[in-house]
Amino acid sequence: DAKTTQPNSMESNEEEPVHLPCNHSTISGTDYIHWYRQLPSQGPEYVIHGLTSNVNNRMASLAIAEDRKSSTLILHRATLRDAAVYYCILRDGAYGQNFVFGPGTRLSVLP
Amino acid sequence: GAGVSQSPSNKVTEKGKDVELRCDPISGHTALYWYRQSLGQGLEFLIYFQGNSAPDKSGLPSDRFSAERTGGSVSTLTIQRTQQEDSAVYLCASSFDPNTEAFFGQGTRLTVV
């Protein structure tokens, strides 16, 4: 399985942008980059996913490097509710595999 | 519409007993996943069902664990002869197809005493 590397933890101030990095140097051409987050005492929830182009939705933006070996999840204005563990996951779109969750990045948002 | 529903939400069982955990996926979703999460730990993959294909059972930790998905809808995860190390939150997720977002249920908290 292609692996991802994320920082263990990050801090942000409320209402400031947050950039969560993810390295995936062994990504294959058919791997999609997915981001999920898990709020305390809840199941994971989908944030965003992409293949090659940058993606935007109501929750966040995903910036994908030109060589696809890294990506960045961008929260434009962090709120206290965004404090969670953020998981960057590669998923082979050609074969439809399960999601392999790593340890993720624990984001703390300071008021 | 309704999300992924899991039952029971909490289960306390005695060591050595069998338990069944149920997952009702979102209607029309062909992919169904089971994970477990021990206290303070990450998510551990257990099993993955995709349509009528043979399930990916590569994450099941022992032969005491089994799962089935009847009629391509409801899934049951069975743990036989439960052990204390089986205590965890068991999470189920479903997606419309393998390439779309997965929706997770709230989980079943299993405590083996």
Side-chain angles (χ1 to χ4, degrees), chain A residues 36 38 43-44 46 49 87 91 93 96-99 101, chain B residues 33 35 37 43 45 48 56 91 98-99 101-102 104-105:
Chain A
Y36 282 75
Q38 188 172 22
Y46 169 82
H49 78 286
Y87 299 98
R91 196 153 188 258
Q97 302 165 330
N98 70 83
F99 292 88
F101 287 82
Chain B
Y33 319 78
Y35 291 83
Q37 188 169 33
L43 282 91
F45 165 70
Y48 164 48
D56 175 0
L91 290 157
N99 292 323
E101 64 194 88
F104 282 78

Side-chain angles (χ1 to χ4, degrees), chain B residues 52-108:
Chain B
N52 295 321
S53 302
D56 175 0
K57 304 179 182 180
S58 60
L60 295 178
S62 77
D63 59 8
R64 295 187 296 104
F65 288 72
S66 63
E68 62 178 18
R69 188 178 185 192
T70 54
S73 181
V74 172
S75 177
T76 302
L77 177 69
T78 301
I79 309 173
Q80 296 179 311
R81 305 181 303 281
T82 52
Q83 304 294 313
Q84 287 186 329
E85 60 263 29
D86 299 335
S87 297
V89 175
Y90 288 79
L91 290 157
C92 174
S94 71
S95 62
F96 180 72
D97 64 39
N99 292 323
T100 55
E101 64 194 88
F103 294 84
F104 282 78
Q106 290 301 301
T108 293

Side-chain angles (χ1 to χ4, degrees), chain B residues 29-32 48-54 69 72:
Chain B
H29 280 194
T30 64
L32 188 147
Y48 164 48
F49 295 90
Q50 175 52 51
N52 295 321
S53 302
R69 188 178 185 192

Side-chain angles (χ1 to χ4, degrees), chain A residues 64-83:
Chain A
I64 301 173
E66 194 169 335
D67 64 4
R68 302 210 323 126
K69 293 185 177 182
S70 65
S71 60
T72 303
L73 178 70
I74 302 166
L75 306 180
H76 296 286
R77 285 183 64 213
T79 69
L80 297 178
R81 193 192 171 279
D82 291 323

